Amino acid sequence: MVGQSPLDPRAGRTPVLLEPFVHQVGGHVSVMKYDEHTVCKPLVSQELSFYQSLPLAMRQFTPQYKGIVSVHLKRDNLGNPQLLASPSMQPEGCGRRDGAIDPSLAIWHKCAWAAGGDSALVTWSHSQLSKSFQDSRPGKLLLRPELQYRTDPLLEDGNGNQAERNSSNPWGLRCHRQHLSRLSAKHSENKLHQFLLLENVVSKYKYPCILDLKMGTRQHGDDASEEKKARHIKKCEQSTSASLGVRVCGMQVYQADKGHFLCRDKYYGRKLSAEGFRQTLQQFLCNGNQLRTELLEPIVLRLKALLAVIRRQSSYRFYSSSLLIIYDGQEPKENAAPLDNHLHFQKPNCATSHSTNPSRVDVRMIDFAHTTFKGSKCNHTTYDGPDHGYIFGLENLIKILQNISEGK
């Protein structure tokens, strides 16, 4: 798909400013918000091939593919790089009609703060987004409680080391800054880049709790160099990828008692033992007040449905792909339970919720840049049968969640 020049006067509409996706919890490629229901990421031909030939049975477990958009780099009046999507290239029905920036995401990008009415805009660049921003007047106005991410010191790895703290540099912003830096160093402003438009699978949740799991016993793609292959094999051997077929790649869980998200990143996940992995699953289901046991059954049912689908997909290998488990951190008021200090699931005040009304949960596969299958447009090894490494991970994940449900 050939892009039209972003400077072409025929474009007619204001370019869409791509904002960092505030709920990106894992991965190394920057995911950006295109509009309220759409995210975008740099196009990789192998991933595009996957979405274009996606089996019908798998569509309920993957984000909806919405097309391709052309993106170009542009510097603002302070010299900071930003990414703009060319409206002339966007599929119909996607994107903000007026090209406006969502002010609630101001901390994550160069933002505009209007004091009210027709007042002049006060702009804030990436270079000004420091820890002091949180204490500034515009910072206090712009920071909503649900965007105040921080880590919790209660969890430690096997060596007693605390996980990397991301209180002032959440993972999505980190990826976004790195991506902007790479693009601005390698390409001119008028260079067009193609991005995939995908469904924002957490848009329906007020406080999306997200667990990003790297699935399978092998993570390197068929096209990996020997050096990269060795590096990925080592990561798998030294983590739960080898023993369980799954490892934590990122997490955010809303802490209702504190009014913020607790975050974990991929470095934390790599250090976990099998028992640490199980405890992290428990923590993912704990909102600071109670263990959300009513979520276990619907999550397990959804995972079993995915397992049945994966077992039927011959030749597919989902190398380096992730699985997202999602639920809303805002539970119905009738589910609230008093604090109980006798249970110790990572947080000593997490009591057990016994609600019989299952909350809405979702399970989605993402990241298919290294997925290969028979008929793929990319030249890679053709495999027979289902992806047994992925199946091994799913089976262990289901077993652990069932044990948690049974109190084991």
Side-chain angles (χ1 to χ4, degrees):
M1 188 173 187
V2 180
Q4 184 179 11
S5 169
L7 304 179
D8 192 328
R10 294 175 296 175
R13 292 170 58 186
T14 305
V16 176
L17 176 63
L18 299 182
E19 301 159 351
F21 180 51
V22 299
H23 297 302
Q24 180 179 354
V25 301
H28 64 276
V29 174
S30 178
V31 176
M32 281 151 276
K33 177 183 174 182
Y34 185 78
D35 64 25
E36 198 63 37
H37 302 287
T38 311
V39 297
C40 63
K41 60 185 295 191
L43 185 150
V44 176
S45 59
Q46 196 165 342
E47 186 165 33
L48 175 62
S49 177
F50 171 81
Y51 278 110
Q52 289 178 331
S53 57
L54 187 63
L56 183 62
M58 290 187 63
R59 291 182 185 176
Q60 63 171 311
F61 296 106
T62 59
Q64 178 190 356
Y65 165 62
K66 296 189 175 186
I68 301 171
V69 68
S70 288
V71 172
H72 69 283
L73 188 72
K74 185 176 177 62
R75 294 187 180 275
D76 63 18
N77 56 1
L78 296 175
N80 299 298
Q82 56 188 11
L83 289 174
L84 299 176
S86 304
S88 58
M89 301 305 298
Q90 68 186 48
E92 187 160 351
C94 293
R96 296 183 291 275
R97 295 180 181 178
D98 58 359
I101 306 170
D102 182 351
S104 67
L105 303 178
I107 189 173
W108 302 86
H109 210 288
K110 183 186 80 68
C111 61
W113 170 55
D118 297 324
S119 302
L121 296 179
V122 179
T123 58
W124 292 77
S125 68
H126 275 308
S127 61
Q128 293 168 302
L129 290 177
S130 63
K131 193 171 182 179
S132 62
F133 181 93
Q134 299 179 29
D135 300 322
S136 66
R137 182 169 179 264
K140 289 178 179 178
L141 288 172
L142 289 166
L143 282 174
R144 301 187 311 188
E146 60 265 34
L147 296 182
Q148 295 177 4
Y149 291 71
R150 74 174 181 85
T151 57
D152 192 300
L154 292 179
L155 275 181
E156 298 179 338
D157 62 27
N159 298 320
N161 300 316
Q162 292 182 6
E164 180 181 279
R165 301 186 71 83
N166 287 325
S167 57
S168 59
N169 185 22
W171 194 257
L173 181 57
R174 172 178 176 162
C175 293
H176 188 71
R177 283 175 169 168
Q178 290 176 343
H179 187 217
L180 284 178
S181 178
R182 287 193 297 267
L183 282 183
S184 58
K186 294 181 180 179
H187 303 288
S188 66
E189 289 191 16
N190 294 331
K191 168 73 173 178
L192 285 179
H193 309 270
Q194 292 183 325
F195 278 52
L196 286 177
L197 290 172
L198 300 169
E199 173 192 2
N200 175 2
V201 297
V202 303
S203 62
K204 60 187 176 183
Y205 301 102
K206 183 173 182 180
Y207 298 104
C209 298
I210 307 166
L211 182 63
D212 185 328
L213 299 170
K214 188 73 73 174
M215 300 299 297
T217 53
R218 168 180 159 177
Q219 302 303 324
H220 61 276
D222 291 332
D223 57 344
S225 65
E226 288 302 313
E227 185 274 334
K228 187 174 183 180
K229 178 180 177 180
R231 190 170 69 246
H232 280 280
I233 290 175
K234 185 177 181 180
K235 288 178 186 176
C236 289
E237 290 175 344
Q238 295 178 342
S239 69
T240 56
S241 290
S243 59
L244 298 177
V246 54
R247 75 170 182 260
V248 173
C249 192
M251 182 180 81
Q252 69 177 39
V253 54
Y254 186 67
Q255 302 296 277
D257 60 331
K258 303 267 180 58
H260 63 68
F261 284 95
L262 180 146
C263 300
R264 298 296 183 206
D265 61 27
K266 65 180 182 181
Y267 301 110
Y268 173 81
R270 288 178 191 172
K271 298 176 182 178
L272 293 174
S273 63
E275 174 59 21
F277 179 83
R278 184 190 69 82
Q279 291 179 351
T280 300
L281 288 186
Q282 288 183 319
Q283 185 186 42
F284 174 64
L285 297 169
C286 181
N287 66 3
N289 293 324
Q290 62 188 23
L291 190 68
R292 299 281 302 277
T293 54
E294 81 278 7
L295 299 170
L296 285 163
E297 183 179 2
I299 290 174
V300 168
L301 288 176
R302 184 94 171 135
L303 289 172
K304 285 183 175 180
L306 172 61
L307 177 59
V309 169
I310 297 298
R311 281 173 171 162
R312 295 195 298 267
Q313 305 309 312
S314 180
S315 83
Y316 277 83
R317 294 296 180 271
F318 302 100
Y319 299 137
S320 198
S321 71
S322 285
L323 185 68
L324 300 182
I325 300 178
I326 312 163
Y327 70 89
D328 201 326
Q330 186 181 51
E331 60 176 331
K333 291 183 179 180
E334 59 269 19
N335 288 355
L339 295 181
D340 187 338
N341 292 326
H342 77 280
L343 292 176
H344 298 270
F345 299 134
Q346 297 293 326
K347 274 179 166 282
N349 62 345
C350 264
T352 303
S353 167
H354 298 286
S355 169
T356 57
N357 299 319
S359 299
R360 181 172 54 188
V361 302
D362 204 354
V363 170
R364 300 291 187 103
M365 301 172 70
I366 60 168
D367 297 340
F368 304 103
H370 300 287
T371 294
T372 181
F373 55 95
K374 185 178 181 180
S376 170
K377 296 177 183 178
C378 304
N379 296 320
H380 294 286
T381 305
T382 299
Y383 299 90
D384 292 323
D387 189 334
H388 292 290
Y390 199 106
I391 291 172
F392 178 65
L394 274 178
E395 289 176 337
N396 281 317
L397 179 60
I398 291 169
K399 186 184 302 181
I400 294 170
L401 289 171
Q402 287 177 328
N403 287 340
I404 293 174
S405 179
E406 296 168 2
K408 296 180 181 179

